[in-house]
Amino acid sequence: MADLPPRSVLVRDSLREAGIEGEIVVLPEAASTAALAAAALGVEVGAIANSLVFWTDDGPLLVMTSGAHRVNTAALSERLGIPGIRRADPDQVREATGQPIGGVAPCGHPHRLRTVVDQDLAEVDEIWAAGGTPHTVFPLSFAELVRVTGGTVSRVD
């Protein structure tokens, strides 16, 4: 196994604490979008779990969405009863996760984030998520994704 970047080690440790055994893969090229990750892994874009950070009046909100979807913040705001969901800026993403945009993992953050998991990811047998950097990814199941994030399952589009 290749040496992991420090951020990916935190992600791996978080996965192990949750009983998830998927290994973090170091990609030769950055896969900072769902399309790039899907191409690098030879999977459908819908099998990629994008980790998108939003900001609310109460702080960060992590949305784990299928790479095939866009998040409808107005609908999500209404569905969750959280007013004013807006896209986090790069500094807010780094503050909330310790990870860069394009490499945000579902776990391994300084503090557990309030998380929403796209219900459509339940239709995918093997989901791939970023491993803390744009060069790292790992596989997990839908149940494992919900478990490691403590997320609420919902429609996001």
Side-chain angles (χ1 to χ4, degrees), residues 17-62:
E17 287 172 19
I20 299 168
E21 295 300 321
E23 291 296 329
I24 294 179
V25 176
V26 178
L27 301 172
E29 301 292 325
S32 54
T33 67
L36 289 172
L41 294 165
V43 300
E44 296 291 323
V45 74
I48 303 299
N50 278 340
S51 303
L52 304 176
V53 180
F54 292 86
W55 213 259
T56 72
D57 292 344
D58 294 329
L61 173 69
L62 178 64

Side-chain angles (χ1 to χ4, degrees), residues 7 53-56 58-61 88-101 104 108-113:
R7 287 286 159 203
V53 180
F54 292 86
W55 213 259
T56 72
D58 294 329
L61 173 69
D89 67 37
D91 291 336
Q92 290 171 318
V93 171
R94 180 78 71 167
E95 175 190 333
T97 68
Q99 302 163 353
I101 290 176
V104 174
H109 312 133
H111 306 284
R112 184 173 281 245
L113 300 178

Side-chain angles (χ1 to χ4, degrees), residues 125-149:
D125 290 333
E126 184 177 64
I127 298 166
W128 287 86
T133 76
H135 286 271
T136 55
V137 294
F138 66 92
L140 74 171
S141 70
F142 180 76
E144 290 170 332
L145 179 61
V146 172
R147 184 169 75 240
V148 77
T149 62

